[in-house]
């Protein structure tokens, strides 16, 4: 078992190295990895152990720089073609799905997501019930795109439907109190579970691969950026259109509320997923630029928060709204940390920005520790509630995540640990959040009497 884990780690390191070759697209990396695994299996069949089989398979693939140069020569048109929205495939291309066909699939899924939301809105009169089902109506279309893109087998696709179906039954069969705490917690945590299920489709069934999980982390960050850009652009376009129709005496707001937004908002999620897939590794990743801008700003914000809490006096007097806001900030900090790690070259030596990230993590740990103290104080003063226990559990998970990340970062800065250990810790801890989300959705309602 340990030997197999080490082999997977070696393949992950090889894949990460290959992905940094600009001339090799993600689809080509997948193809090369499949070929590598076939070579390893053939060598193992001859009696070689995992390490020997891996080394021989690598040599049979040839020198990676030579492979990159060969790809650049054979596909010299790829880089500039992928910069436009609809790159035209040529007979000499890599045999992947034609762009027009993928675009047709994406548009069909986007329209399908809009139809699902619109039909759900018409059939579900209760707003709270609709909120519980909103993720169930949209995320399957994103997961469906990944399933089609990764060419998952029907068996693998069906396996994803099982937890989805269980979640759907729980969200609709539980007798939640109208507007109760456990219902709100279910609405907030169900999307986390659904997104991790989409991640299983994204990694193509290789969830045990650290590099594939980190790919999904990177995808999630870029997905958020693309969707934000689409939302901002759409808001400007809609605003200008409404203004124009208002000036000519036509009220477009009913059409906007009843038809445009129900289709545009969920449809843009599918389109954003496609854009990330279409544009990755084409130009320099925007992640390093964003993380270097927002890391120091976030450090200043966290230090300011610590000052605000200190000035607030007793921890019992800290407003609940402030604790909720700080939780959101800590989640943002964790997202920034993950995005920064996903964008870093794991072969590069430790530098100033790595030290700055350590400062960020330590500041977040301090804020989290103060929040945990405030939460425990409020629980001792006012008693337990579903919201308090859910927040307490989340902050404990964040604390463990951040403390371990700080410890590994210190080891990396001192040259005692490879960067890969820090990177792997992030991806291996992610399922813990999904498990906690499942606990909140499945166990909290009956434990707390569905209040």
């Amino acid at each position: 078992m340990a030997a197999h884990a080490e082999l997977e780690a070696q393949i992950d390191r090889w894949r990460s190295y290959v992905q940094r070759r600009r001339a090799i697209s993600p689809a080509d990396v997948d193809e090369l990895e499949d070929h590598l695994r076939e070579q390893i299996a053939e060598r193992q069949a001859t009696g070689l152990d995992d390490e020997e089989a891996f080394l021989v398979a690598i040599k049979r693939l040839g020198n990676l720089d030579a492979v990159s140069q060969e790809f650049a020569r054979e596909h010299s048109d790829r880089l500039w073609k992928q910069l436009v929205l609809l790159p035209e495939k040529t007979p000499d291309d890599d045999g992947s799905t034609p762009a027009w066909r993928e675009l047709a699939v994406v548009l069909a899924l986007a329209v399908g997501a809009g139809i699902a939301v619109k039909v759900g809105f018409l059939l579900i009169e209760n707003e709270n019930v609709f909120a519980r089902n909103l993720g169930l109506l949209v995320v399957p279309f994103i997961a469906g795109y990944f399933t089609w893109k990764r060419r998952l087998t029907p068996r693998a696709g069906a396996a994803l439907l099982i937890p989805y179906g269980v979640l759907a039954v729980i969200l609709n069969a539980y007798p939640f109190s109208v507007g109760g705490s456990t219902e709100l917690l279910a609405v907030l945590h169900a999307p986390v579970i659904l997104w991790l299920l989409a991640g299983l489709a994204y990694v193509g069934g290789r969830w045990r691969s650290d590099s594939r999980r980190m790919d999904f982390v990177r995808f999630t960050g870029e997905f958020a950026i693309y969707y934000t850009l689409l939302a901002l652009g759409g808001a400007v376009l809609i605003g200008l259109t409404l203004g124009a129709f208002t000036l000519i005496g036509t009220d477009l707001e009913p059409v906007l509320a009843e038809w445009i937004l129900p289709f545009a908002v969920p449809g843009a999620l599918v389109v954003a997923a496609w854009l990330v897939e279409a544009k990755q590794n084409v130009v320099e990743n925007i992640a390093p630029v964003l993380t270097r801008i927002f890391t120091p700003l976030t450090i200043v914000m966290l230090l300011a928060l610590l000052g605000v809490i200190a000035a607030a006096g007793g921890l019992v007097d800290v407003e609940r709204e402030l604790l909720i806001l700080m939780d959101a900030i800590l989640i943002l900090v964790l997202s920034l940390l993950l995005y920064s790690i996903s964008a870093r070259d794991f072969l590069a030596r430790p530098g100033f920005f790595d030290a700055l990230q350590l400062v960020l993590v330590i500041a977040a740990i301090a804020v989290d520790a103060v929040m945990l103290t405030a939460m425990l104080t409020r629980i001792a003063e006012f008693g337990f509630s579903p919201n308090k226990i859910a927040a307490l559990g989340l902050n404990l998970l964040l604390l463990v995540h951040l403390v371990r990340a700080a410890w590994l970062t210190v080891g990396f800065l001192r040259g005692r640990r490879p960067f890969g250990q820090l990177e792997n810790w992030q991806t291996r801890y992610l399922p813990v959040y999904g498990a906690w989300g499942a606990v909140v959705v499945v166990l909290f309602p009956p434990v707390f009497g569905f209040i």
Side-chain angles (χ1 to χ4, degrees):
M1 188 70 178
H4 178 72
E6 177 59 27
L7 175 61
E8 289 297 323
Q10 288 178 319
I11 294 176
D12 283 344
R13 287 191 290 270
W14 171 86
R15 180 182 175 88
S16 297
Y17 181 62
V18 173
Q19 285 178 317
R20 284 167 172 80
R21 267 39 189 181
R22 186 180 299 273
I24 303 181
S25 73
D28 295 325
V29 175
D30 291 340
E31 184 178 349
L32 286 172
E33 181 180 343
D34 289 339
H35 185 52
L36 175 66
R37 290 180 180 275
E38 291 174 1
Q39 292 288 334
I40 292 174
E42 290 178 4
R43 305 284 78 73
Q44 289 172 327
T46 63
L48 296 181
D49 60 29
D50 289 345
E51 183 176 1
E52 292 171 336
F54 176 78
L55 293 175
V56 172
I58 286 292
K59 288 184 178 295
R60 288 182 66 88
L61 282 181
N63 181 271
L64 187 56
D65 291 325
V67 171
S68 299
Q69 294 172 7
E70 185 66 22
F71 268 93
R73 283 195 298 268
E74 292 187 4
H75 306 291
S76 59
D77 58 345
R78 170 178 296 157
L79 294 179
W80 68 264
K81 279 188 174 183
Q82 289 183 343
L83 287 173
V84 298
L85 185 62
L86 295 173
E88 180 184 356
K89 295 289 182 180
T90 66
D92 296 328
D93 212 339
D94 57 7
S96 59
T97 303
W100 66 266
R101 184 178 300 169
E102 181 168 353
L103 179 59
V105 171
V106 169
L107 292 178
L109 290 171
V111 173
I115 293 174
V117 170
K118 180 63 178 178
V119 172
F121 184 76
L122 293 175
L123 296 180
I124 304 175
E125 297 181 358
N126 189 298
E127 293 182 358
N128 293 330
V129 177
F130 178 75
R132 296 204 303 263
N133 285 275
L134 185 57
L136 295 169
L137 296 173
V138 177
V139 175
F141 291 92
I142 301 175
Y145 169 64
F146 295 148
T147 301
W148 175 83
K149 181 74 173 177
R150 302 292 185 266
R151 295 180 171 86
L152 294 187
T153 63
R155 181 178 180 181
L160 294 177
L161 294 177
I162 297 175
Y164 173 84
V166 172
L167 181 61
V169 170
I170 289 174
L171 289 175
N172 290 280
Y174 274 0
F176 291 102
S177 298
V178 178
S181 297
T182 56
E183 182 181 46
L184 177 60
L185 290 173
V187 170
L188 294 176
H189 288 79
V192 176
I193 303 172
L194 288 169
W195 191 247
L196 289 179
L197 290 178
L200 290 175
Y202 178 87
V203 299
R206 294 176 181 170
W207 185 250
R208 293 184 179 181
S209 170
D210 291 316
S211 65
R212 289 298 183 93
R213 291 198 297 267
M214 186 52 74
D215 287 344
F216 183 63
V217 170
R218 188 180 300 110
F219 166 86
T220 301
E222 295 178 358
F223 171 83
I225 293 172
Y226 273 108
Y227 187 74
T228 301
L229 293 175
L230 288 173
L232 291 174
V236 171
L237 179 61
I238 290 174
L240 293 174
T241 304
L242 283 177
F245 274 85
T246 301
L247 291 176
I248 62 176
T250 301
D251 185 9
L252 199 63
E253 290 188 5
V255 177
L256 173 66
E258 295 181 13
W259 293 102
I260 297 178
L261 291 181
F263 279 85
V265 174
L269 290 169
V270 180
V271 173
W274 169 62
L275 286 174
V276 176
E277 285 287 284
K279 302 301 180 183
Q280 60 183 345
N281 291 347
V282 177
V283 295
E284 183 179 0
N285 200 323
I286 195 174
V289 178
L290 292 177
T291 54
R292 279 163 174 75
I293 292 174
F294 285 101
T295 295
L297 295 177
T298 307
I299 292 174
V300 173
M301 178 181 64
L302 291 176
L303 295 177
L305 280 174
L306 287 173
V308 169
I309 296 173
L315 293 176
V316 180
D317 299 327
V318 175
E319 295 291 337
R320 183 182 67 173
E321 289 74 14
L322 177 59
L323 293 176
I324 295 174
L325 179 61
M326 290 170 61
D327 260 344
I329 291 173
L330 281 177
I331 293 173
L332 177 63
V333 170
L334 179 63
S335 301
L336 180 61
L337 174 66
L338 289 170
Y339 200 38
S340 301
I341 292 175
S342 73
R344 191 188 188 282
D345 185 351
F346 78 101
L347 297 175
R349 296 175 61 84
F352 171 76
F353 187 72
D354 298 296
L356 196 62
Q357 277 196 317
L358 178 60
V359 174
L360 172 68
V361 173
I362 292 174
I365 291 173
V367 171
D368 199 1
V370 171
M371 289 184 61
L372 283 170
T373 305
M375 289 177 182
L376 291 173
T377 304
R378 289 178 65 89
I379 289 175
E381 181 74 16
F382 304 111
F384 293 95
S385 71
N387 290 334
K388 292 174 185 175
I389 300 303
L392 182 64
L394 174 61
N395 280 271
L396 286 173
L397 294 181
L398 289 171
L399 184 65
V400 172
H401 193 162
L402 294 169
V403 168
R404 179 63 175 170
W407 177 258
L408 293 174
T409 303
V410 170
F412 172 63
L413 290 172
R414 297 178 66 183
R416 296 183 178 181
R417 295 179 182 274
F419 181 75
Q421 289 188 13
L422 175 60
E423 185 179 57
N424 292 343
W425 165 248
Q426 315 305 320
T427 61
R428 292 173 184 177
Y429 197 75
L430 288 179
V432 176
Y433 293 105
W436 177 246
V439 168
V440 174
V441 173
V442 178
L443 299 182
F444 270 44
V447 168
F448 290 97
F450 301 100
I451 60 173

